[in-house]
Amino acid sequence: MTPTQPPYQTLNPATGEVLATFATATDADVDTAITAADRAYRDWSEQPLQMRQEVVRNAGRLLRERATELGELARMEMGKRVDEGTGEVEFSASIFEFYADQAATLLADQPIPTFSGGTAMVRRRPVGVLLGVMPWNFPVYQVARFAAPNLVLGNTVVLKHAESVPQCALAIAELLREAGVPDGVYTNLFATFDQVETIIGDPRVQGVSVTGSERAGAAVAATAGRALKKCLLELGGSDPFIVLDGDAGELARTAWDFRTYNMGQACNSNKRMIVVDDLYDDFVAALTSQARDLRPEDIAPLSSRAAAETIAAQVGDAVDKGATLHVGGVLADAPAAFYTPAVLTGVTPDMRAYTEELFGPVAVVYRVRDEDEAVALANSSAFGLGASVFSKDVARAEKVAQQLDAGMVNVNTPAGEGPDIPFGGVKRSGFGRELGALGIDEFVNKQVFIVAD
């Protein structure tokens, strides 16, 4: 069944008030956008790399200058705390700066030294028009990690942002225009679901990148497959946070801070905390204490009333089936989207919380006997985005980490982050990578170029 198309609107999740509504694109708008992107590609891709680098560097500078302004916009549209929003924009700036600084190295011709009879190399060339389908949870960062490498490479971008952050989408497009991105090279489009399918099927479009839910990823991948188009999918996650030994209180603080960042609305958040027997009780007690000590100003709304109701229903299902809710889990009265951060234990396979992604501030803690049980539980998920292992014995933690089925595995840190650190997963978390050297290689023609003697 095709989902109902939501309107593009700014709806303050703290109050439920609709602040602005925007018209969706017409079919003529879609064709105009693709035509402009296709025409712009011819010129943009042939510009000197140094010119594209300078434009991308300008975008990074403008993001830094407007970090607070864009952070406030994210707060208004999806509820993010302003300090977190500002930090998101500054990190996005570093992504543009990284690709501006490193493009010449990342895109350099790669000689094939074993070839005889002439010279052979692999050249990295752009492919054309790309579609980006981006989510609301990091409204600037998600766009940056897709757009920055592809713009510096020479591709052109049509961007369909989430319906709930239209003003963020417009602000990014305007910022890139001011940075010197020519008309048609980056186009924001308030497209419908049906129009996304049309765009992917258009022969002028060469690929699509999606960050979102499993459902959205599966739908786009099916469409891309029928059209023989390259796609990159970054979908859900249920990342394990394995605690083998150490200071239970300190580890709980690390776990809690990461779990409640962006009110738990991050794909690579530590959604399953797996703790050995010896530390389990103290770890749960420390988490519970931190949840109880939260001040009202520490609790932001979730992105929407629907998001808050979904996480409440998942926790409610677990409690009804025997799980223990230690603290939190209070859903505000409608239409506000507040849900108090919670600690949940006793989750079993018959509960929704065991298999579904919990996209909100709920810390689920599992007790295990030993390392083998921790690995088995960690790998039992259908997701495979990130994972982390904590131990005072680094060699012990590395041995466990090497057994985990995930795209990103970390030892003694919840996540490795940086514009040079690739991001992506395996299994139902999707495929492909963004950021770093791998990110710029996704939508590139690795052209073999041979000159005979």
Side-chain angles (χ1 to χ4, degrees):
M1 183 175 65
T2 301
T4 301
Q5 176 67 47
Y8 281 86
Q9 62 181 18
T10 300
L11 189 156
N12 185 340
T15 64
E17 180 185 4
V18 176
L19 303 176
T21 301
F22 300 83
T24 55
T26 65
D27 291 344
D29 293 333
V30 171
D31 185 68
T32 297
I34 298 173
T35 299
D38 185 52
R39 288 176 179 166
Y41 170 68
R42 312 300 167 188
D43 181 63
W44 180 247
S45 61
E46 295 304 322
Q47 291 294 323
L49 176 59
Q50 293 85 351
M51 178 269 195
R52 296 196 300 269
Q53 287 174 289
E54 191 58 34
V55 171
V56 169
R57 187 174 287 108
N58 287 342
R61 174 180 55 79
L62 290 174
L63 284 168
R64 290 198 183 278
E65 291 176 1
R66 300 177 189 176
T68 301
E69 173 188 337
L70 289 169
E72 176 59 33
L73 201 55
R75 181 204 63 77
M76 180 177 68
E77 291 202 299
M78 53 76 57
K80 191 187 298 283
R81 286 174 41 175
V82 173
D83 60 335
E84 292 184 353
T86 300
E88 176 191 338
V89 178
E90 291 172 344
F91 184 52
S92 301
S94 74
I95 294 171
F96 279 90
E97 292 160 353
F98 169 79
Y99 284 110
D101 292 341
Q102 299 298 321
T105 299
L106 297 174
L107 299 176
D109 293 343
Q110 178 183 342
I112 303 174
T114 55
F115 179 76
S116 60
T119 60
M121 67 185 69
V122 176
R123 305 173 68 210
R124 282 172 166 76
R125 301 289 298 154
V127 295
V129 182
L130 303 176
L131 171 65
V133 181
M134 296 293 113
W136 47 261
N137 58 329
F138 291 94
V140 180
Y141 160 68
Q142 300 283 7
V143 175
R145 70 185 195 182
F146 168 61
N150 284 300
L151 291 176
V152 82
L153 172 61
N155 292 322
T156 57
V157 171
V158 175
L159 200 292
K160 182 233 174 288
H161 216 322
E163 294 83 2
S164 59
V165 290
Q167 293 192 55
C168 286
L170 292 171
I172 293 167
E174 174 61 19
L175 183 146
L176 292 175
R177 186 193 66 78
E178 292 184 33
V181 175
D183 290 345
V185 173
Y186 181 97
T187 304
N188 178 72
L189 195 64
F190 290 152
T192 66
F193 297 149
D194 289 342
Q195 288 168 341
V196 166
E197 187 169 356
T198 298
I199 296 168
I200 296 171
D202 192 294
R204 295 168 292 182
V205 175
Q206 302 305 312
V208 55
S209 176
V210 178
T211 299
S213 66
E214 288 180 86
R215 180 178 182 177
V220 168
T223 301
R226 288 193 298 270
L228 297 179
K229 302 291 175 69
K230 168 71 183 288
C231 66
L232 184 155
L233 304 180
E234 195 274 280
L235 309 178
S238 190
D239 291 11
F241 181 105
I242 299 174
V243 175
L244 301 176
D245 58 63
D247 185 315
E250 180 180 343
L251 290 166
R253 282 190 294 274
T254 298
W256 183 254
D257 288 346
F258 193 58
R259 184 66 187 99
T260 56
Y261 179 73
N262 204 34
M263 287 304 288
Q265 299 167 119
C267 298
N268 66 327
S269 180
N270 50 337
K271 301 185 179 81
R272 293 180 298 147
M273 301 175 193
I274 300 171
V275 184
V276 295
D277 269 327
D278 291 347
L279 296 182
Y280 178 86
D281 290 334
D282 289 342
F283 187 91
V284 171
L287 281 180
T288 302
S289 176
Q290 288 178 93
R292 288 196 174 118
D293 289 345
L294 285 174
R295 302 166 299 173
E297 57 267 31
D298 295 327
I299 303 175
L302 272 68
S303 64
S304 67
R305 178 68 188 184
E309 290 177 350
T310 295
I311 193 76
Q314 290 169 313
V315 172
D317 170 78
V319 172
D320 289 345
K321 294 175 180 175
T324 300
L325 179 63
H326 295 259
V327 64
V330 177
L331 177 65
D333 292 338
F338 288 95
Y339 183 80
T340 56
V343 176
L344 188 67
T345 62
V347 171
T348 55
D350 61 322
M351 302 172 186
R352 292 176 58 190
Y354 189 90
T355 55
E356 296 179 8
E357 180 179 26
L358 299 180
F359 216 61
V362 178
V364 179
V365 191
Y366 295 88
R367 183 197 298 266
V368 292
R369 293 184 302 274
D370 53 27
E371 298 168 8
D372 290 341
E373 188 176 1
V375 170
L377 178 57
N379 288 340
S380 68
S381 174
F383 296 105
L385 189 56
S388 56
V389 182
F390 291 80
S391 172
K392 292 181 291 185
D393 183 341
V394 175
R396 180 191 186 196
E398 287 185 7
K399 182 179 178 181
V400 170
Q402 288 165 359
Q403 300 175 64
L404 300 178
D405 300 331
M408 304 174 289
V409 180
N410 307 275
V411 171
N412 289 334
T413 183
E417 295 182 344
D420 54 342
I421 303 296
F423 190 102
V426 296
K427 300 196 287 187
R428 294 190 69 84
S429 291
F431 45 78
R433 294 294 182 269
E434 294 181 291
L435 299 178
L438 301 184
I440 205 169
D441 251 3
E442 285 291 338
F443 294 102
V444 65
N445 173 14
K446 300 179 184 72
Q447 183 185 74
V448 176
F449 195 81
I450 295 175
V451 179
D453 286 339

